[in-house]
Amino acid sequence: MKKVALLATALAMVTGSAFAADMPLKAVKAPPPVAFDPWDVAFGGAIMSDYIFRGVTQSNHQPSVAAYFEPRYNITKDLQLYAGVSAESISFANRAAAEVDVYGGIRPTFGAFAFDIGVWGYLYPGGSCADNVTTGGIPGGNVCAISTTTIFLGDGNVMKKDVSFFEVYGKLNYTINDNWSVGVNEYYSPNFLNSGAWGNYASVTAKYIAPSTVFGASGVGMYVSGEFGRQWFGTSDAFYGTGVGTVFANGIPYKDYDTWNIGIGFTYKVFTLDLRYSDTDLSKGDCNAFTSAFNASGTTSVTPINPGGAGSNWCGAAGIAKLSFDLTAMSNLK
């Protein structure tokens, strides 16, 4: 009887397994496709030891704060429209205290090639007309209407009340692999800093991103990046030909210059710490003629466009430490 019982049990197990193998399996329902949301918003802010723009300080080599807000619309995963506004604290000779940028454009991507084409407006509200004075405080440039808001500079410089301007630009970034990328940039303004002179800036960039394991499992990333650019200028209008000792009554032919920067950055989640060195090949005299610095000094920095000899360090070597955070609504706020 025991043998019969064992045989029956074995047959039942085999038969059950066979039936199970022949039974139709219920199909597992695939998860619904994720809906494509074309809208996104990027925003962030920064604090930096110096606000450097193309090698020239915008904050008199003092700390500056910045913030931006950028809505984005993705027509497809490879084509994005965007518009934005940003602001930085500055220190100009006309005493404008802020730069407000309004911009917009399109970012097409073709494989490893990422383009960015748009228009950027630089606004400098709150400025006052800055005239120069001779010994004794007598108005020298006679380019500003004398009023309670007129600024008089003792270094022979002048500056318009409104230096707002716009540029059109095109950028191309090529991603070589997960670690390396290179880029080219081109910016053009028909009236740079509202000076009457056209401006053209072109640069090349390179960036190396270290492997994510460079600091183990800490989540800290690292990169090294650099840029080399050249800024070309036309001739200013007659306003800037009125400085003390200036021989260009119809305007100053600003000096073209080269600029470069190189730095190392560390990232953690949405934060970035960037440590950078920046410099130009502008002399102190040509820098003074271009920037209208309010703290130019001396009489020995004589150049063809700066015969008065006052010199400025606004275009010289500078080290910048910048701590920033950057978020996007789709990635960071879900």
Side-chain angles (χ1 to χ4, degrees):
M1 289 297 293
K2 287 183 180 180
K3 289 182 179 180
V4 173
L6 288 171
L7 180 60
T9 302
L11 286 171
M13 292 176 64
V14 173
T15 305
S17 298
F19 283 153
D22 290 338
M23 285 176 64
L25 294 175
K26 188 175 181 181
V28 177
K29 193 179 271 189
V34 178
F36 175 69
D37 187 350
W39 289 100
D40 202 354
V41 176
F43 59 96
I47 181 170
M48 43 198 158
S49 61
D50 196 350
Y51 174 22
I52 300 289
F53 179 71
R54 297 176 191 169
V56 180
T57 182
Q58 309 295 288
S59 58
N60 186 28
H61 291 306
Q62 299 300 309
S64 174
V65 294
Y68 74 94
F69 178 80
E70 184 184 293
R72 300 169 175 175
Y73 181 78
N74 298 293
I75 300 174
T76 69
K77 67 180 183 65
D78 296 319
L79 185 61
Q80 181 183 89
L81 300 176
Y82 66 94
V85 60
S86 64
E88 298 83 15
S89 60
I90 62 171
S91 182
F92 277 6
N94 67 358
R95 298 303 188 265
E99 174 187 313
V100 179
D101 305 322
V102 180
Y103 60 93
I106 185 170
R107 295 180 179 129
T109 301
F110 302 95
F113 295 90
F115 294 83
D116 188 349
I117 303 164
V119 179
W120 198 290
Y122 303 81
L123 308 176
Y124 302 94
S128 297
C129 193
D131 210 334
N132 70 73
V133 294
T134 58
T135 303
I138 302 170
N142 197 30
V143 293
C144 299
I146 300 176
S147 71
T148 56
T149 61
T150 303
I151 298 169
F152 293 101
L153 303 176
D155 55 13
N157 287 328
V158 297
M159 193 171 197
K160 292 180 179 179
K161 175 180 179 179
D162 182 12
V163 293
S164 303
F165 71 106
F166 76 91
E167 290 182 315
V168 293
Y169 60 88
K171 308 177 189 179
L172 169 60
N173 190 74
Y174 176 67
T175 301
I176 301 171
N177 52 41
D178 290 342
N179 303 108
W180 288 97
S181 63
V182 294
V184 293
N185 307 289
E186 168 67 23
Y187 296 79
Y188 176 79
S189 172
N191 190 4
F192 193 86
L193 279 173
N194 194 29
S195 64
W198 57 264
N200 187 83
Y201 179 74
S203 72
V204 293
T205 62
K207 185 175 185 178
Y208 169 75
I209 300 177
S212 59
T213 57
V214 67
F215 292 109
S218 65
V220 176
M222 185 185 77
Y223 65 84
V224 177
S225 65
E227 178 182 23
F228 180 85
R230 182 164 181 81
Q231 178 77 61
W232 292 270
F233 291 116
T235 299
S236 78
D237 55 33
F239 180 97
Y240 287 100
T242 59
V244 173
T246 300
V247 295
F248 298 99
N250 296 322
I252 301 174
Y254 291 132
K255 180 73 180 296
D256 304 334
Y257 70 91
D258 296 327
T259 180
W260 53 91
N261 67 77
I262 188 168
I264 183 171
F266 303 91
T267 61
Y268 180 72
K269 295 184 178 180
V270 301
F271 298 98
T272 300
L273 174 63
D274 188 279
L275 306 174
R276 191 158 300 273
Y277 168 83
S278 172
D279 204 353
T280 77
D281 65 352
L282 275 176
S283 68
K284 288 187 175 182
D286 290 334
C287 178
N288 176 62
F290 169 53
T291 63
S292 297
F294 59 78
N295 55 357
S297 61
T299 58
T300 59
S301 298
V302 176
T303 72
I305 63 171
N306 191 63
S312 170
N313 68 348
W314 283 13
C315 312
I320 312 104
K322 179 180 179 181
L323 178 63
S324 61
F325 69 93
D326 302 275
L327 304 95
T328 58
M330 294 300 291
S331 299
N332 302 107
L333 301 182
K334 277 188 170 184

